[in-house]
Amino acid sequence: MTTDFTVRPARPTDARSLAELRWTFKQEDQEGRPAAPARPLEEAERWIRDRLSKGQWLAWVSESGGKICGHVFLCPVERMPDPYGDNAPVGYVTNFYVTPSQRNKGAGSALLEALKQHARSAAFDTLIVWPSEHSSPLWQRSGFQPPEELLELPLDT
């Protein structure tokens, strides 16, 4: 495993690179579908810059050769105050991606470790993720486990 990368918190100025990687990630996910995005990249860039600037979302990036080559995002979810327990936030983890040239070199694990360290230091209660079939083994190696209590209601419109 090589370590020719660094991991750091994302900054609002990273928004363009993060949007580009988001589009690459989603296009990779769309195997066999048209490659032309239905939405402009600038929309994602503005969204990411706005969320990172306001602290609504957090993200970590992996850099190699001065270029962002991976990222993971965290959306803190507040919980209602509880008279008998704490109301520590839950973290929704999403948009985890490492470029193909940097995969299997430790960057993904390092991104997840930075995310977990932050969540522990900020006293998050739980981190949740909806993994793809392909990414599930990595999440499990990083300590994520299938939920015992989670239910979902898909709202297909």
Side-chain angles (χ1 to χ4, degrees):
M1 179 176 353
T2 62
T3 55
D4 63 341
F5 60 87
T6 57
V7 172
R8 64 167 174 80
R11 300 181 287 259
T13 55
D14 296 325
R16 180 66 182 203
S17 294
L18 292 168
E20 289 170 353
L21 285 177
R22 169 73 175 166
W23 261 217
T24 301
F25 165 47
K26 294 310 285 184
Q27 287 173 329
E28 213 178 273
D29 229 10
Q30 298 292 317
E31 293 176 26
R33 293 192 184 164
R39 301 177 107 161
L41 180 69
E42 291 76 19
E43 184 179 324
E45 181 181 357
R46 280 189 303 274
W47 189 96
I48 291 168
R49 183 177 291 111
D50 183 56
R51 290 341 181 256
L52 291 176
S53 294
K54 294 178 182 175
Q56 293 170 289
W57 284 71
L58 305 169
W60 289 263
V61 298
S62 173
E63 288 182 314
S64 181
K67 185 174 178 182
I68 295 175
C69 58
H71 54 75
V72 63
F73 282 74
L74 174 67
C75 179
V77 179
E78 288 184 289
R79 292 174 43 199
M80 295 290 295
D82 182 338
Y84 303 106
D86 78 33
N87 61 325
V90 171
Y92 169 51
V93 182
T94 189
N95 201 44
F96 174 60
Y97 180 73
V98 175
T99 58
S101 67
Q102 291 298 312
R103 291 180 189 159
N104 300 311
K105 296 180 178 180
S109 295
L111 284 165
L112 293 181
E113 191 55 38
L115 168 96
K116 291 187 305 183
Q117 284 179 5
H118 171 80
R120 284 185 185 106
S121 69
F124 277 63
D125 179 70
T126 304
L127 295 175
I128 58 172
V129 65
W130 278 273
S132 67
E133 185 177 319
H134 178 74
S135 69
S136 193
L138 173 66
W139 291 107
Q140 290 184 17
R141 282 193 308 272
S142 188
F144 286 75
Q145 303 168 6
E148 295 178 15
E149 298 180 359
L150 184 67
L151 301 175
E152 71 175 349
L153 173 64
L155 299 172
D156 296 306
T157 55

